[in-house]
Amino acid sequence: MTKPIPPHHFRWLSFEQLTADELYEILRVRQQVFAVEQESIYLDVDGKDQHAKHLVCWDTESTTPTLLAYLRVVAPGKKYAEPSIGRVLTRESARGTGIGKELMRLGVEHTLREHPQAAIRISAQLYLKRFYEEFGFTQVSDVYDEDGIPHIEMLRQPEP
């Protein structure tokens, strides 16, 4: 059973376009999901945010920036040779609503528009393999440990 989708608004922003309050909320929720919920201690602020486009999904009923879902697209050559999608998350209260799938669809569409001849690479948590396969990604590495969580690299080839 799918939960109702909360009122929301997606926006693409460069690092420079993010307000201090928006950046704070993004980093806070990334830490909540990736460090606290997943009990994984690692440095989330990795120097790649400045070279990324950020897809943010805000709760439109909140009076302060309240992040429901987020991902970033890192430019080619900054993490991998290809453009990469990462830090994909849905806030716990918005899970099961379909926002995560909408987020990923928009992320792939944007990356294909910006880099039409390039493959897209991701480092995916192993348990999300089937989710990413729905968007055309295929596993291209063995399972490896990243910050105590099994991961795989996945690639989405450009359309011929």
Side-chain angles (χ1 to χ4, degrees), residues 71-144:
L71 63 72
R72 70 179 184 186
V73 177
V74 177
K78 297 298 180 182
K79 181 171 182 165
Y80 301 111
E82 307 87 358
S84 64
I85 297 174
R87 300 296 199 263
V88 179
L89 68 83
T90 304
R91 178 188 211 102
E92 187 174 19
S93 63
R95 292 180 195 150
T97 64
I99 282 180
K101 286 186 178 188
E102 186 178 0
L103 174 84
M104 195 63 196
R105 180 185 59 75
L106 293 169
V108 169
E109 286 176 0
H110 170 84
T111 307
L112 292 174
R113 266 193 318 277
E114 295 290 312
H115 309 281
Q117 302 305 311
I120 305 169
R121 187 173 296 268
I122 61 174
S123 174
Q125 293 181 9
L126 181 60
Y127 85 95
L128 291 169
K129 178 183 176 186
R130 292 182 75 164
F131 173 77
Y132 291 117
E133 286 174 340
E134 291 179 37
F135 299 95
F137 288 90
T138 57
Q139 182 175 342
V140 294
S141 77
D142 292 332
V143 176
Y144 59 93

Side-chain angles (χ1 to χ4, degrees), residues 11-27 30 44-56 58 70-75 110:
R11 285 179 51 212
W12 281 103
L13 298 165
S14 68
F15 185 79
E16 295 77 19
Q17 291 172 313
L18 292 167
T19 68
D21 286 342
E22 289 170 337
L23 180 59
Y24 182 86
E25 174 69 355
I26 289 166
L27 296 176
R30 282 182 6 190
D44 175 59
V45 180
D46 59 0
K48 294 180 179 50
D49 288 311
Q50 298 91 323
H51 308 285
K53 288 287 189 173
H54 303 268
L55 178 56
V56 292
W58 302 112
Y70 169 87
L71 63 72
R72 70 179 184 186
V73 177
V74 177
H110 170 84

